[in-house]
Amino acid sequence: MNRLVRAETRRLLRHPLALALAALFVFGSLYCAWVSERVAAHNITQVQDNLDFLPSSCESRQNTPEQKVRCLADVPLQAAGLERIQDRFTAEGVRAAQAQHPVGALLWTVRLLTSIPGLALLVMLAAFSVAGEWSRGSIVPLLLYESRLGRLLAAKTVAVWLWSLVLLCVSGAVTAAFGMLYGRDAYPLPSPGALGSVLADTGLGVVAGAAVLAGAAAVAVALAALLRQPLRAFLAGMLVLVLVVRTSAAPGLGAWLPGGALADLVGFGAVDGVWDHFWISTDPSTAPVLLRVLPTLALIGLLWVWLDRHNRTRDRA
């Protein structure tokens, strides 16, 4: 099995589509980080300028003494409103500042990779690399080497998962380098926190993100093996992704469905809105998130059981 996994991983890492999608994600993630940092720094500067200007805004020559008095009386109320906006912009700045941190950039990247942009690329890769082997007929020599289709598909799933982890590391390193060498000077932002807290948050986020990517790879490869046509597999995978996203906030059940559970597992509620993931659960649950992930794992297991039986029936026919 290890030899099969290594062989499939080497083949996938050299696949032209895998390289193209990886480059697309790296540059896309870098662009999102740049936009996030620029917007956050601009918002913080703008609201601070408004707060500084507020006390002197009443000193207009056109204002009568009575108007100045009323204006000064309204200053505390306006300042309180601006301070609430400042707190929100500061929180967004802290999240954007993760992309400028050598460790936090990995957490920033894993949340993008486990949201719609990254999962769409993973579905496309599985569809055109796995299902494409059936449409081209190149699956035949692989089955001659490994006659057990289940083991071959498991190796392909691990290969897709390892591709996503390599992409995560590369993209996180590029984002961190950009943030430290350019972003910190061009777009000053609040600190994301002490090193210990950033390490803890990043560690939990990466573990959760790796679990989400493993489940997504298993579903994408299973669909590709069932449909055996790249375009059909890609469209089916995108349909599943849309259903997962749209049901993440379903009343009463959203927190237990795959979208809501996985969103809470990765911590999408703290993601910057510049690249909105659409997976913020609006139906919070008091049940532990690890318990709410069990139905998703059961669904993935049932999909693989059905895949195994479907392939056995097809082979007999």
Side-chain angles (χ1 to χ4, degrees):
M1 184 65 178
N2 292 334
R3 182 180 300 176
L4 187 59
V5 168
R6 290 196 298 269
E8 288 295 325
T9 303
R10 286 195 299 268
R11 292 178 62 247
L12 186 62
L13 292 179
R14 294 196 299 262
H15 196 286
L17 180 61
L19 296 175
L21 293 180
L24 178 63
F25 181 83
V26 169
F27 286 108
S29 178
L30 188 61
Y31 174 77
C32 289
W34 171 67
V35 172
S36 178
E37 295 168 28
R38 180 169 60 89
V39 171
H42 172 76
N43 289 340
I44 292 175
T45 302
Q46 192 68 30
V47 72
Q48 185 60 52
D49 290 343
N50 290 337
L51 279 171
D52 295 339
F53 175 73
L54 191 59
S56 60
S57 61
C58 300
E59 302 299 328
S60 174
R61 294 182 180 180
Q62 299 178 353
N63 289 342
T64 63
E66 293 79 6
Q67 290 174 332
K68 290 183 179 180
V69 171
R70 288 196 299 269
C71 180
L72 291 173
D74 292 337
V75 165
L77 183 61
Q78 296 177 12
L82 287 175
E83 287 173 355
R84 287 193 295 270
I85 297 175
Q86 186 183 43
D87 292 339
R88 178 166 59 86
F89 285 164
T90 300
E92 293 177 357
V94 170
R95 294 194 292 269
Q98 290 176 342
Q100 301 177 352
H101 195 279
V103 178
L106 196 61
L107 176 61
W108 196 95
T109 306
V110 76
R111 284 175 172 166
L112 180 60
L113 188 58
T114 52
S115 62
I116 290 180
L119 294 183
L121 296 182
L122 190 145
V123 168
M124 183 182 297
L125 176 64
F128 286 90
S129 64
V130 177
E133 292 185 342
W134 267 279
S135 63
R136 294 189 304 269
S138 58
I139 193 69
V140 175
L142 294 177
L143 289 175
L144 292 176
Y145 173 78
E146 176 53 68
S147 59
R148 289 167 293 186
L149 182 60
R151 286 173 60 88
L152 179 60
L153 293 180
K156 290 183 177 296
T157 300
V158 175
V160 172
W161 180 60
L162 292 177
W163 172 84
S164 66
L165 295 183
V166 172
L167 176 59
L168 169 63
C169 296
V170 173
S171 183
V174 172
T175 301
F178 174 82
M180 291 187 295
L181 297 177
Y182 175 77
R184 285 185 177 181
D185 294 332
Y187 312 111
L189 293 171
S191 172
L195 179 60
S197 64
V198 174
L199 283 172
D201 293 341
T202 302
L204 292 175
V206 169
V207 170
V212 172
L213 291 172
V219 173
V221 170
L223 289 176
L226 282 170
L227 299 176
R228 300 189 177 184
Q229 290 292 332
L231 186 57
R232 285 191 298 181
F234 173 69
L235 293 178
M238 292 305 298
L239 177 61
V240 170
L241 180 58
V242 169
L243 290 176
V244 167
V245 171
R246 296 301 297 173
T247 58
S248 62
L253 292 175
W256 290 86
L257 294 176
L262 298 182
D264 294 339
L265 179 66
V266 181
F268 278 154
V271 174
D272 197 295
V274 173
W275 40 271
D276 198 346
H277 45 75
F278 305 105
W279 273 17
I280 298 177
S281 177
T282 58
D283 186 23
S285 174
T286 57
V289 65
L290 294 179
L291 178 63
R292 290 186 281 118
V293 172
L294 293 181
T296 302
L297 297 178
L299 289 174
I300 296 175
L302 290 175
L303 177 61
W304 273 79
V305 170
W306 185 60
L307 169 65
D308 181 64
R309 293 183 177 180
H310 179 76
N311 283 321
R312 288 181 182 178
T313 304
R314 177 181 293 181
D315 293 338
R316 292 195 191 101

